[in-house]
Amino acid sequence: MKTNLTTLKGKTRIFFLLLTFFSLLASAQKPVKAWVFINSDSASVNVLKMLYESRNRMVQDPQSPRFVMVDNSGNYVLGIGGFVAANISSDFNGLSDKDFVIYDIPVPTAKFKDNKFNFALDQSRLFVKLVGNTELGRLVAYVETDFRGGSGGLLHLRQAYVSFKNLLVGQTWSTFMDLDGTPYTLDFEGPNSMISIRQPMIRYTLPFAKRWSLEAALEVPTISYSTRQDMAPLSFPQSVPDIPARLIYSAGFGHIQLAGLLRTLIVPDTLVNGSNHSVGYGFAFSGSINLPAGFKFQYQATYGKGISHYINGLKNRGLDLLYNPATRSTSLVPIWGGYVNLARTWGRNGMFTSNLLYGQANADIHDAALPHQYKRGYYFAINTVWTFIKYGTVGVEFLHGARTDINGEKGDANRINALLRYNF
């Protein structure tokens, strides 16, 4: 037994010696490409160009990572970054939720004995981005998370996609959105009328002429419908993808975007007489104009039927379509609205940015049986953000909003926001 054990140990040593030898031989013949951490401040022009060309267009998304890894070839860059964001808010009346959602404003206005105070860190982000120049073209892989999962504090997937040349596959901002025309708010929710949603998709981008691009996608559909009795939101699995597209013209003055959306909305066939399919559609016209003295004007106008899923503050409220059990039929809800924003960058080296924003969203439901249903709401914000150090910003914002129901009753709310953010 002892002899066999000694023999086994000897064979084991020989095996590991041979394994080590062949490993060293392989590494000598084909060197492993090392990855080196560098700070973006000291990165080469080529590395910065790769990161800049693949930057996120959504104004509230993290931009280029502060720290990157570059392989020996210089063709692949891996960035890791994010930010810590502390949001402090105080409500005068009307709302007690941490997000300023116009739909949730009580009607009539709720008067709180004391102001509601919130302190949240769940807007903080982490992201990883890989940018590579392959033999066939540019590749970008991106994963972004925040901490708003569950009841808050849990990791939550925001974006995860791979784009290769003109094709993108994964979850990111909808093609129906205008990323370059999005106004900046300290409020996480943003204006109630803004087209704003992230969802899984397959998207193709076709640049043409000099300043034009056309993008079209197949995106995962979600609908929210309700009955005339209680307007409780319901959902049903969908089998036809949404089809959004946008045409963008960019120039020195700013940009102009025209977007369209086509979607099929399906409810259980046991609910209706005849077809359980409805065809929804939407249009959006938006853009930005660069003005003298650091001013910029942003705007968006939207109209559609069955598109509440895409409208900030109205998604998941049962407003894509209404079901009438008396007639066993459905009807699409017309949605229209928009926003205007005047932004200005000012101060030494542009260290201050201010925004003055107004938005309105309307749901055209004319039904006396639903007197307490949302009819329209508006959102007003004014803020200033100060970049007090290179990677740190602090801002303050005043919010005012109001909701009007079908019966004409109104409710309003006011909030002061403060934000401290440090990018890494």
Side-chain angles (χ1 to χ4, degrees):
M1 177 66 71
K2 185 175 180 181
T3 303
N4 291 339
L5 184 60
T6 302
T7 303
L8 179 61
K9 289 182 178 179
K11 290 181 178 179
T12 302
R13 290 193 187 97
I14 294 173
F15 171 78
F16 279 109
L17 286 172
L18 289 173
L19 181 62
T20 303
F21 172 77
F22 284 116
S23 298
L24 291 173
L25 181 63
S27 62
Q29 292 178 346
K30 188 177 182 180
V32 177
K33 293 183 178 180
W35 288 76
V36 180
F37 266 112
I38 61 174
N39 188 300
S40 61
D41 291 337
S42 60
S44 67
V45 174
N46 289 336
V47 169
L48 292 177
K49 184 179 179 181
M50 290 172 68
L51 293 174
Y52 180 79
E53 289 178 350
S54 63
R55 73 193 186 283
N56 296 333
R57 289 160 56 192
M58 174 64 168
V59 66
Q60 292 180 333
D61 279 351
Q63 297 304 308
S64 297
R66 183 174 171 187
F67 298 99
V68 297
M69 295 175 64
V70 183
D71 74 341
N72 283 343
S73 71
N75 290 323
Y76 290 89
V77 177
L78 179 69
I80 302 173
F83 56 76
V84 177
N87 189 285
I88 304 171
S89 64
S90 180
D91 289 282
F92 293 91
N93 60 273
L95 273 174
S96 59
D97 296 333
K98 63 181 178 181
D99 294 331
F100 197 77
V101 183
I102 302 302
Y103 189 94
D104 291 335
I105 295 177
V107 177
T109 301
K111 301 294 183 181
F112 299 118
K113 182 178 180 181
D114 300 308
N115 292 351
K116 175 67 176 179
F117 178 80
N118 281 303
F119 192 134
L121 292 161
D122 54 7
Q123 295 185 28
S124 303
R125 311 272 180 88
L126 289 172
F127 75 90
V128 177
K129 173 183 281 187
L130 173 70
V131 184
N133 290 323
T134 72
E135 295 178 354
L136 299 178
R138 173 65 56 85
L139 179 144
V140 177
Y142 183 75
V143 176
E144 178 193 344
T145 65
D146 61 22
F147 296 87
R148 293 175 64 90
S151 58
L154 299 178
L155 207 61
H156 165 245
L157 180 66
R158 289 176 59 85
Q159 301 185 72
Y161 63 82
V162 174
S163 66
F164 179 71
K165 300 183 77 171
N166 296 332
L167 184 67
L168 181 146
V169 179
Q171 176 171 300
T172 187
W173 297 102
S174 173
T175 313
F176 194 40
M177 285 182 62
D178 184 349
L179 300 177
D180 296 318
T182 305
Y184 183 82
T185 63
L186 277 61
D187 170 41
F188 184 83
E189 181 71 14
N192 61 328
S193 53
M194 180 172 65
I195 299 172
S196 175
I197 193 167
R198 298 178 303 274
Q199 51 196 15
M201 68 183 69
I202 300 174
R203 180 166 70 206
Y204 186 78
T205 299
L206 176 65
F208 65 97
K210 185 177 181 180
R211 303 181 183 275
W212 294 86
S213 66
L214 176 65
E215 301 179 15
L218 299 177
E219 300 187 4
V220 172
T222 301
I223 74 162
S224 177
Y225 70 97
S226 54
T227 65
R228 293 175 70 248
Q229 283 89 342
D230 55 12
M231 293 299 296
L234 302 169
S235 62
F236 186 71
Q238 303 296 293
S239 58
V240 181
D242 291 350
I243 306 175
R246 59 190 176 202
L247 179 65
I248 307 170
Y249 176 77
S250 301
F253 73 88
H255 82 285
I256 298 173
Q257 176 174 303
L258 179 63
L261 172 67
L262 185 66
R263 61 193 320 233
T264 299
L265 298 89
I266 305 171
V267 298
D269 54 11
T270 56
L271 295 181
V272 296
N273 295 320
S275 175
N276 65 337
H277 294 62
S278 301
V279 177
Y281 61 88
F283 302 98
F285 178 70
S286 57
S288 63
I289 302 173
N290 298 321
L291 301 171
F295 284 97
K296 175 186 283 190
F297 180 68
Q298 298 169 301
Y299 59 91
Q300 183 176 89
T302 307
Y303 176 81
K305 291 186 177 182
I307 64 167
S308 71
H309 171 66
Y310 287 82
I311 306 300
N312 212 24
L314 297 183
K315 61 176 71 75
N316 301 322
R317 306 292 183 171
L319 293 176
D320 281 328
L321 52 79
L322 295 180
Y323 170 66
N324 189 338
T327 60
R328 291 176 57 81
S329 62
T330 61
S331 58
L332 296 172
V333 178
I335 302 290
W336 62 275
Y339 62 79
V340 289
N341 181 54
L342 183 63
R344 188 192 182 199
T345 301
W346 53 286
R348 183 166 54 90
N349 298 322
M351 63 193 311
F352 294 99
T353 301
S354 300
N355 292 271
L356 180 64
L357 168 66
Y358 176 84
Q360 181 170 324
N362 302 263
D364 278 344
I365 302 176
H366 305 284
D367 194 333
L370 300 169
H372 302 295
Q373 173 56 30
Y374 175 97
K375 182 178 182 180
R376 64 177 177 270
Y378 69 81
Y379 177 103
F380 171 81
I382 181 170
N383 62 51
T384 294
V385 178
W386 172 34
T387 304
F388 64 97
I389 56 176
K390 186 169 185 179
Y391 297 105
T393 58
V394 62
V396 63
E397 177 177 72
F398 172 72
L399 296 170
H400 172 72
R403 165 181 168 153
T404 302
D405 287 351
I406 290 176
N407 62 4
E409 291 186 344
K410 300 179 180 180
D412 59 33
N414 300 282
R415 173 175 291 182
I416 290 180
N417 268 339
L419 177 69
L420 175 63
R421 174 169 148 174
Y422 185 78
N423 299 279
F424 60 87

